């Protein structure tokens, strides 16, 4: 449970606001029932095995039709576990479509609670049976989703996960996530890479019997961080590489609340795309930071021969993290994977100096809004709210006119950074209070610094309808740190 004494929790000075308190210590969904608790943790049995790719389901003739069944019982870290998966795997299959395609998904719920499906980052309609976060698929039921990918959709790295309010953190922590790739419209690859890999990072905590551990109130308050950090469901896999031969790694942060600051020992990471869209030019960096939900595509140019760990370094999310001793359960650094280079050097074609970045369709700003993420002590526990209110799916929090470009300033008066995420309409970060340089291309998650703010430009183009924005620390989203936006023509 929590190592933090109550007095320290109470000592956190946070602004009060009008919302009713939300008790977050409610019964965890992953109660282990009458089973005997061993008290121990599952020890990974596959450390160092070669990185596998999830099964790829590829579109053909403009369509991809798949069935995804959410159920308990998957192989993780070399064990048969009671964690959750799609089609008995975690991550689920990689869905690969092209601009202009139709993606039809029959989602079958074999969990014992409701679920649904969200195509994170995809620019598709939020209405009806498309990327509609208000839908609910009950246990035993199936639902037919249809996502129409627009012909001008950027080619890049996206992902899918459940989004039934109140159960999102538990289900993703349980293992429900998969990659969703939009391939380039033509046949030619965008980059001269010899290997193109998905690295879907998730974290979870499993007991010695392979059951999901119970999550305490403090873990929910800080955002749960699993003790087991996995890449494609594997523990510290090995990534083989030929010296000189470039690889594209599509890193997806599928963790419920863990921020990943990744570094590859002895190598630069060449950042080429963020949240599914290319940067204007490759940026060689020592570290690339991914908030929960973010994707970063990086090019790796292996040099020499040897073993080079890919490390997620410890990240300080603000004063509250420090007070809690670096966050809950385990924080960094953790080894995600190890690149092993061997063999004769290969000569790879040089990287392009310019990338097919999109020019964001940003018109003159018509409306400015200020939106506040709020976390504080309430009467019955911690409160998680936006602008003083917890999530209500029936309330319209922001009314927007289709076609307008708006400027939103997201404020965070509290001592913990929160990742802001908006569905359907990607935004461009204009400025951050901590002077982090913005990536300059449309993105869909940005970390709002503790006691700080971010300013965003959002073109509300292409789709009308209602959707949501929220904190992508999914425990916070489940507790109410989510709100609605209604875009009307
Ligand atoms: Cu990845 Cu609304 O979420
Ligand atoms: Cu999303
Ligand atoms: Cu949050």
């Amino acid at each position: 449970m929590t190592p933090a004494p109550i007095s320290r929790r109470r000592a956190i000075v946070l602004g009060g606001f009008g919302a009713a308190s939300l008790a977050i210590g409610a019964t965890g969904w992953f109660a282990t029932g009458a089973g005997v608790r061993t008290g121990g943790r599952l020890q990974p049995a596959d450390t160092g095995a070669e990185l596998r790719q999830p099964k790829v389901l590829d579109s053909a003739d403009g369509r991809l039709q798949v069935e995804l069944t959410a159920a308990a019982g998957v192989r993780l870290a070399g064990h048969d576990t009671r964690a959750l998966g799609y089609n008995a795997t975690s991550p689920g299959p990689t869905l690969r479509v092209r601009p202009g395609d139709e993606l039809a998904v029959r989602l079958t719920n074999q969990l014992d609670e409701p679920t649904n499906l969200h195509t994170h980052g995809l620019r598709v309609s939020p209405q009806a049976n498309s990327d509609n976060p208000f839908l609910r698929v009950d246990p035993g039921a199936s639902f037919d989703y249809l996502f129409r990918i627009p012909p001008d959709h950027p080619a890049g790295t996206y992902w899918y996960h459940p989004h039934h309010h109140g159960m999102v953190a538990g289900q993703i922590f349980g293992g429900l996530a998969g990659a969703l790739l939009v391939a380039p419209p033509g046949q030619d690859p965008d980059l001269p890479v010899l290997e193109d890999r998905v690295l879907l990072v998730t974290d979870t905590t499993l007991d010695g019997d392979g059951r999901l551990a119970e999550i305490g109130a403090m873990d929910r308050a800080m955002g749960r961080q699993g003790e087991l950090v996995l890449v494609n469901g594997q523990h510290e896999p090995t990534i083989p590489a030929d010296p000189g031969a470039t690889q594209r790694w599509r890193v997806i942060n599928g963790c419920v609340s863990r921020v990943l600051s990744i570094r590859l020992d002895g190598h630069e990471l060449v950042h080429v795309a963020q949240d599914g869209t290319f940067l204007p030019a490759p940026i060689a960096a020592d570290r690339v930071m991914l908030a929960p939900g973010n994707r970063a595509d990086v090019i790796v140019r292996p040099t020499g021969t040897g073993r080079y760990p890919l490390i997620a370094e410890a990240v300080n999310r603000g004063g509250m993290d420090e007070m809690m001793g670096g966050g809950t359960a385990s924080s960094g650094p953790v080894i995600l994977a190890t690149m092993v280079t061997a063999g004769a050097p290969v000569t790879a074609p040089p990287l392009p100096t310019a990338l097919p970045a999109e020019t964001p369709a940003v018109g003159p700003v018509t409306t400015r809004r200020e939106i506040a993420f709020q976390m504080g002590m309430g009467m019955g526990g911690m409160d998680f709210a936006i602008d003083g209110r917890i999530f209500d799916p029936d309330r319209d929090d922001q009314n927007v006119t289709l076609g307008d470009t708006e400027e939103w300033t997201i404020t965070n008066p509290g001592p913990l950074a929160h990742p802001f995420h908006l569905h359907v309409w990607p935004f461009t970060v204009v400025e951050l209070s901590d002077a982090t340089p913005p990536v300059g291309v449309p993105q869909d998650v940005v970390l709002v610094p503790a006691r700080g703010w971010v300013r965003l430009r959002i073109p509300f183009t292409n789709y009308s309808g209602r959707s949501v924005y929220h904190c992508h620390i999914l425990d916070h989203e489940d507790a109410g740190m989510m709100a609605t936006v209604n875009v009307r023509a």
Side-chain angles (χ1 to χ4, degrees):
M1 282 290 291
T2 166
I6 293 295
S7 57
R8 283 171 74 194
R9 292 173 57 192
R10 296 277 173 200
I12 299 163
V13 181
L14 296 156
F17 48 92
S21 290
L22 192 65
I24 55 160
T27 316
W29 180 63
F30 293 116
T32 49
V36 177
R37 299 296 303 273
T38 62
R41 295 298 190 212
L42 193 80
Q43 295 306 309
D46 66 341
T47 308
E50 187 171 326
L51 179 72
R52 287 184 303 268
Q53 290 297 290
K55 178 177 183 181
V56 178
L57 302 174
D58 226 328
S59 73
D61 302 322
R63 190 173 165 89
L64 175 61
Q65 179 146 11
V66 300
E67 300 199 8
L68 291 179
T69 299
V74 290
R75 214 163 161 79
L76 274 189
H79 293 275
D80 291 322
T81 72
R82 296 309 295 160
L84 312 181
Y86 290 112
N87 302 352
T89 61
S90 175
T94 295
L95 309 182
R96 197 162 171 276
V97 295
R98 288 178 184 271
D101 281 357
E102 270 185 7
L103 168 61
V105 180
R106 169 163 295 182
L107 175 71
T108 297
N109 181 2
Q110 288 179 2
L111 309 172
D112 54 12
E113 62 176 23
T115 189
N116 65 12
L117 191 69
H118 169 49
T119 51
H120 180 126
L122 222 56
R123 303 180 191 179
V124 294
S125 169
Q127 299 193 41
N129 63 339
S130 183
D131 187 22
N132 180 346
F134 305 104
L135 289 171
R136 164 191 176 118
V137 182
D138 281 318
S142 292
F143 186 82
D144 289 317
Y145 284 91
L146 183 64
F147 308 96
R148 292 178 205 278
I149 322 292
D152 60 351
H153 199 289
T157 307
Y158 301 86
W159 65 300
Y160 63 90
H161 64 75
H163 215 289
H164 182 71
H165 178 62
M167 294 162 186
V168 182
Q171 291 181 8
I172 296 180
F173 199 74
L176 291 175
L180 205 174
L181 307 183
V182 180
Q187 292 302 314
D188 295 323
D190 290 299
L191 292 164
V193 289
L194 298 174
E195 295 281 353
D196 186 326
R197 304 181 196 268
V198 165
L199 277 70
L200 175 41
V201 183
T202 55
D203 62 359
T204 192
T205 305
L206 298 169
D207 69 16
D209 301 324
R211 289 177 183 275
L212 289 148
E214 285 180 62
I215 301 301
M218 188 49 64
D219 283 336
R220 288 167 196 256
M222 297 295 292
R224 68 188 75 184
Q225 299 196 45
E227 295 170 22
L228 201 52
V229 182
L230 303 170
V231 181
N232 298 349
Q234 299 175 253
H235 182 251
E236 293 180 20
T238 295
I239 304 175
D242 294 329
T246 51
Q247 303 202 2
R248 177 181 186 169
W249 294 355
R250 300 166 184 263
V251 184
I252 302 172
N253 187 354
C255 299
V256 164
S257 76
R258 184 185 294 270
V259 178
L260 299 173
S261 174
I262 59 168
R263 178 173 74 78
L264 179 63
D265 207 38
H267 290 77
E268 284 179 323
L269 295 169
V270 183
H271 193 187
V272 291
Q274 176 73 25
D275 289 359
T277 67
F278 280 112
L279 307 185
I283 298 175
D286 290 334
R287 285 171 182 72
V288 176
M289 175 98 102
L290 296 93
N294 275 140
R295 289 84 63 214
D297 290 27
V298 294
I299 302 294
V300 172
R301 292 172 292 186
T303 53
T305 54
R307 302 174 60 82
Y308 306 98
L310 175 68
I311 296 160
E313 297 192 310
V315 175
N316 178 356
R317 299 178 298 170
M320 193 158 174
D321 239 5
E322 285 162 25
M323 279 169 73
M324 300 301 166
T328 53
S330 54
S331 62
V334 274
I335 295 176
L336 300 176
T338 305
M339 181 171 81
V340 178
T341 58
V346 172
T347 311
L351 287 178
T353 51
L355 296 166
E358 61 175 331
T359 331
V362 174
V365 172
T366 48
T367 307
R368 291 187 163 77
R369 300 175 201 252
E370 195 171 304
I371 288 165
F373 270 162
Q374 293 156 326
M375 173 179 183
M377 288 305 299
M379 298 299 286
M382 298 288 282
D383 288 323
F384 297 90
I386 296 177
D387 296 327
R389 303 190 287 199
I390 64 165
F391 179 63
D392 176 353
D394 298 321
R395 183 183 66 217
D396 285 347
D397 293 296
Q398 311 297 340
N399 287 288
V400 170
T401 303
L402 180 67
D404 279 4
T405 294
E406 299 206 351
E407 186 178 275
W408 288 18
T409 301
I410 318 299
T411 65
N412 175 15
L416 185 70
H418 299 272
F420 173 86
H421 173 51
L422 170 65
H423 289 203
V424 180
W425 303 276
F427 50 79
T428 304
V429 176
V430 181
E431 195 182 353
L432 293 107
S433 59
D434 65 358
T436 305
V439 290
V441 294
Q443 63 189 96
D444 54 63
V445 182
V446 64
L447 198 61
V448 189
R451 304 192 200 286
W453 47 266
V454 295
R455 187 161 298 132
L456 317 173
R457 212 51 69 79
I458 316 171
F460 284 96
T461 49
N462 299 327
Y463 301 105
S464 57
R466 293 178 81 237
S467 195
V468 291
Y469 54 96
H470 59 86
C471 176
H472 218 288
I473 293 176
L474 295 164
D475 287 292
H476 295 175
E477 181 267 295
D478 280 338
M481 203 179 246
M482 176 153 75
T484 65
V485 55
N486 192 345
V487 180
R488 290 192 186 85

